[in-house]
Amino acid sequence: MKKLFIVFIAVLITALSVSAKDNGELDLRNVLMKRVDNSNVFQVIVKFTNPHHHKILINIPEYKSTGDEGEFDNLMEQAYNIEKNIYEDAAFNLIERLENSLGAKIRHLRTMSLGNDLIEITTTKSVNDFMKEFKALQEVKKAQVNEAFTVKKSETTSVVSANWSGTFFNDPWYNSQSYFGSFDENKANSNFELFKQNIENKLGRKVRIAVVDSGSSNHEDMPVDGGYSFVSFVPNLKGEPVTVDRKPDHTDGNIDPDTGEFKMMEHGTAVASIIGAHTDNGLGMTGALNSEDIALIFAKVCHYKGCGQNDIYDGIVWAAGGEVAGIPNIDQKVDVINVSLGGYGSAGCSEFYQEVIDFAVEQGIVVVVAAGNERTDAENISPANCKNTITVGAIDPTTEDKSDFSNYGNAVDITAAGSYIVVAVPNEDPTQLSNEYKPANGTSFATPLVASIAAGLKMKYPELTPLQIERILEANSYKILLSKSGLPSDCKMLGCGKGTVDALASLMAIDNLFTVNASQVAHVYENNTDTRYLEEMNKLIPVCNLYQAEFGSIGTQIDGIEYNIYSYKGEGEITESNATFIKTVDDPIYVVNSADRIAYQACQNGTCGNVVEMDKQTSPKPEYCLL
């Protein structure tokens, strides 16, 4: 019998760091990379150029009687069989044609979402050589080797809880959840206590949050509102995938194909508990959101040994309201998707990953993903490097700087507390109600904090788009320039996105439109040292007077909100009466042309606040302008 291998390319399940021991130690996990380049059997995700090719490969269910055993039912069954034979013949011809072109054996394994298919390849060629030939076929629009993320234990670290003085809620672990505390007390805090107190649900229903992860568990402090298992295989010790059926049971864990034992990953429960653990019930921990306001939906895409890339793709599409062959449609699409998973993708975000993310965002869904824990540039990690996501790094409360493990760089959009995070832990026996909690580290656990703020904004302002929500989060973040020790921060040197998130400020941003005076001003050519270039440009535009300004508390265009831009040559306070009006804009990111002092004034539906000066003195001009 031929051995069937999945090609293991990716290296990390982002932040799979859930405490696993009763003695307070933290079990940090990473992924074992196993790439079988010389295997002659592997799986490929493909989108055919002709959509009809996808259609003919869809598995047609057996005919079900109408209940009428008369002539009408017989005619319907005959029509069904004719259509089925046509599709089966067409599918056979397509596969045969591809096999002849490639000199390989091809078997259709699964119909995927968004017009994609999963096929099995048997060939004497290397994976790389085959894929070059396969992608060059006119029948193939795009293709990738199916990736799987597998987990191994790597190290353990002693954990000291990040205690604070929180007593507002009566949950026993509450004073270990320091991110509920004030932003002024610690830059890793996010003001979640006041955030929870100020949430208003104007959706007219519960906000729906999908946790695309390892599933749920039977836990005393956890709400569960449904889900589905998209897991389609479990690797055995030889790396051979043992096929399993997708099913409505989204419980964490699977049967080990080698031992017959039931094992679980724990990760999905940990992530979900940060979002929605019951509040003020005298048990365990406190969720970032009020459990009565939310519906937690579990798209189970990981078994205890890892996560299939094809399963992740289908899980995201399903949560976003898309169709997945053989799976009942979700009863209502979600509002926010949390993806605390990832792996190396140095070639950039895969076309298939970007496709499913774009699909979700087109449905108005906010997609929040983890930056990863490899201590590397997040540009090398997927889906952290995908567009249209909110990519989240981690902050450590002990240093008030980037968590040592957290990825960094331009792909990171924002950061949140990710060290010493309290999480719920399943019982090893899934039939038993768990009452276990442990501290954990990882960007996986910073991500649900940001997803919770996004959900809070969606409740309060149902019309906000995913991009508007991202911009509000960024506009109300705090840029960490110095660590707690007073030295230049890792965030400043490596990049932590716009800064560390402030839940309360983000939630209240629109309400506080007239009172928030924050602004950032940078000279458009601040870092340009090419004097000759600037000299030529200055013949066309006023190079030395151009400043890009970001102002106010919103960070994005919102209907009914405008900003008046002013300049002023004199001394003292800038006011509406003494300033020179430049322009009214609807975007709070604007390039101002002025050699003088500049200011902005926020207006909402015709009512305007005070005129606020923007400090451009801290933004150095290029040397050319100083000559």
Side-chain angles (χ1 to χ4, degrees):
M1 181 177 178
K2 296 177 181 177
K3 294 184 178 179
L4 182 59
F5 291 92
I6 293 292
V7 179
F8 295 106
I9 298 178
V11 180
L12 180 76
I13 286 182
T14 315
L16 275 177
S17 35
V18 181
S19 178
K21 303 192 177 194
D22 293 333
N23 61 8
E25 289 186 334
L26 184 68
D27 182 10
L28 295 176
R29 298 178 176 129
N30 65 13
V31 166
L32 174 64
M33 182 180 71
K34 183 178 182 182
R35 178 164 185 163
V36 193
D37 283 324
N38 296 318
S39 172
N40 66 342
V41 184
F42 52 94
Q43 293 179 355
V44 172
I45 301 171
V46 59
K47 182 185 290 292
F48 292 107
T49 305
N50 186 345
H52 182 69
H53 291 162
H54 167 73
K55 186 177 180 181
I56 64 176
L57 290 170
I58 293 176
N59 295 323
I60 303 174
E62 291 301 314
Y63 178 74
K64 292 185 178 180
S65 172
T66 63
D68 179 1
E69 297 187 7
E71 185 175 351
F72 174 77
D73 193 71
N74 291 332
L75 289 173
M76 291 297 292
E77 186 172 3
Q78 290 175 24
Y80 161 82
N81 287 329
I82 291 171
E83 183 178 9
K84 180 180 179 182
N85 289 335
I86 291 172
Y87 272 79
E88 287 179 343
D89 287 345
F92 175 82
N93 291 334
L94 169 64
I95 296 297
E96 185 178 47
R97 187 166 67 251
L98 293 175
E99 288 178 334
N100 292 336
S101 298
L102 297 162
K105 179 69 177 175
I106 299 175
R107 183 165 70 100
H108 183 257
L109 297 177
R110 181 177 297 282
T111 299
M112 295 177 60
S113 56
L114 303 185
N116 300 319
D117 288 278
L118 183 66
I119 60 177
E120 175 192 306
I121 306 298
T122 304
T123 178
T124 57
K125 302 169 186 174
S126 72
V127 172
N128 287 338
D129 287 345
F130 175 86
M131 290 302 293
K132 287 178 182 177
E133 292 183 29
F134 187 62
K135 289 180 179 181
L137 294 176
Q138 64 178 9
E139 291 93 344
V140 175
K141 185 173 183 178
K142 58 185 177 183
Q144 72 169 63
V145 176
N146 189 28
E147 302 170 345
F149 305 92
T150 57
V151 186
K152 70 169 185 177
K153 179 178 175 182
S154 59
E155 59 181 303
T156 57
T157 304
S158 295
V159 171
V160 178
S161 272
N163 290 320
W164 68 296
S165 57
T167 58
F168 189 84
F169 300 113
N170 66 11
D171 307 296
W173 282 85
Y174 182 58
N175 68 353
S176 294
Q177 296 177 262
S178 60
Y179 50 84
F180 277 90
S182 166
F183 202 65
D184 295 331
E185 294 173 316
N186 190 301
K187 296 305 182 290
N189 293 351
S190 301
N191 283 325
F192 269 99
E193 184 175 89
L194 291 173
F195 168 82
K196 279 182 70 101
Q197 294 176 51
N198 283 279
I199 288 176
E200 300 175 62
N201 192 346
K202 298 179 181 178
L203 272 173
R205 57 172 175 79
K206 293 182 176 182
V207 66
R208 294 170 61 81
I209 305 171
V211 178
V212 178
D213 215 291
S214 65
S216 64
S217 69
N218 187 15
H219 197 283
E220 65 174 7
D221 213 17
M222 281 290 299
V224 175
D225 296 278
Y228 211 92
S229 174
F230 293 84
V231 175
S232 59
F233 69 90
V234 180
N236 62 20
L237 289 175
K238 297 178 180 179
E240 301 166 339
V242 178
T243 301
V244 296
D245 292 330
R246 290 175 166 178
K247 53 188 178 181
D249 180 9
H250 46 85
T251 304
D252 187 2
N254 290 88
I255 301 297
D256 187 318
D258 296 296
T259 66
E261 298 177 286
F262 182 90
K263 295 184 179 180
M264 60 179 60
M265 184 186 283
E266 304 180 352
H267 194 250
T269 296
V271 168
S273 66
I274 295 168
I275 298 171
H278 293 301
T279 299
D280 224 25
N281 61 348
L283 297 175
M285 59 187 290
T286 305
L289 295 169
N290 298 311
S291 55
E292 60 269 21
D293 286 330
I294 67 173
L296 280 175
I297 312 299
F298 291 84
K300 178 181 174 183
V301 299
C302 304
H303 49 78
Y304 76 96
K305 286 187 175 180
C307 321
Q309 198 77 355
N310 63 308
D311 297 335
I312 295 173
Y313 297 160
D314 281 350
I316 291 174
V317 171
W318 175 81
E323 293 186 1
V324 181
I327 307 294
N329 290 348
I330 193 170
D331 54 358
Q332 183 180 359
K333 68 180 181 180
V334 301
D335 302 288
V336 179
I337 295 177
N338 187 104
V339 186
S340 290
L341 307 170
Y344 273 112
S346 56
C349 178
S350 80
E351 291 180 280
F352 290 98
Y353 226 142
Q354 191 63 63
E355 180 181 44
V356 300
I357 289 169
D358 290 346
F359 174 80
V361 172
E362 286 166 5
Q363 314 313 308
I365 297 167
V366 183
V367 181
V368 189
V369 305
N373 300 341
E374 297 90 340
R375 301 176 176 90
T376 190
D377 194 320
E379 288 285 359
N380 300 320
I381 305 298
S382 290
N385 57 8
C386 294
K387 299 176 182 177
N388 293 330
T389 63
I390 301 177
T391 299
V392 184
I395 295 292
D396 187 330
T398 62
T399 63
E400 298 187 28
D401 197 358
K402 185 185 79 69
S403 296
D404 176 64
F405 53 78
S406 179
N407 290 343
Y408 49 81
N410 292 332
V412 178
D413 295 306
I414 205 158
T415 54
S419 298
Y420 316 117
I421 305 298
V422 177
V423 299
V425 181
N427 192 302
E428 292 183 1
D429 181 349
T431 65
Q432 298 300 309
L433 187 69
S434 175
N435 61 358
E436 296 183 49
Y437 308 85
K438 297 290 175 62
N441 291 341
T443 55
S444 275
F445 309 124
T447 303
L449 292 177
V450 174
S452 297
I453 306 172
L457 281 164
K458 195 69 177 177
M459 281 191 277
K460 189 171 182 178
Y461 303 105
E463 300 305 315
L464 287 180
T465 67
L467 179 60
Q468 288 174 328
I469 287 173
E470 178 180 351
R471 294 290 184 263
I472 289 173
L473 292 173
E474 292 174 345
N476 293 278
S477 63
Y478 176 83
K479 191 173 288 294
I480 297 178
L481 301 178
L482 299 176
S483 68
K484 195 172 184 178
S485 66
L487 297 174
S489 68
D490 286 342
C491 279
K492 179 182 179 181
M493 294 185 288
L494 299 174
C496 292
K498 288 290 186 178
T500 183
V501 72
D502 187 326
L504 177 65
S506 298
L507 184 69
M508 304 302 292
I510 297 176
D511 290 349
N512 295 337
L513 179 68
F514 297 151
T515 58
V516 174
N517 301 329
S519 64
Q520 298 180 42
V521 181
H523 195 282
V524 170
Y525 296 101
E526 179 179 331
N527 298 313
N528 195 309
T529 59
D530 189 340
T531 301
R532 185 174 178 180
Y533 168 79
L534 295 175
E535 188 175 276
E536 291 301 312
M537 286 297 294
N538 198 46
K539 296 175 182 178
L540 304 173
I541 57 176
V543 162
C544 296
N545 294 338
L546 296 180
Y547 293 85
Q548 177 165 301
E550 300 181 28
F551 41 85
S553 59
I554 307 299
T556 185
Q557 296 173 262
I558 293 180
D559 289 345
I561 296 177
E562 295 180 325
Y563 307 88
N564 295 325
I565 309 297
Y566 298 93
S567 66
Y568 182 57
K569 290 184 178 181
E571 301 290 332
E573 182 182 3
I574 305 177
T575 66
E576 192 172 352
S577 60
N578 67 18
T580 299
F581 173 76
I582 297 177
K583 191 175 184 180
T584 297
V585 298
D586 58 6
D587 191 338
I589 302 175
Y590 182 72
V591 175
V592 183
N593 173 15
S594 177
D596 305 317
R597 296 163 65 190
I598 57 175
Y600 80 95
Q601 179 186 41
C603 303
Q604 186 171 23
N605 298 323
T607 300
C608 298
N610 294 329
V611 176
V612 179
E613 183 170 7
M614 294 182 279
D615 184 10
K616 67 179 186 179
Q617 302 305 313
T618 58
S619 177
K621 293 183 178 183
E623 186 177 348
Y624 165 77
C625 296
L626 303 176
L627 297 177

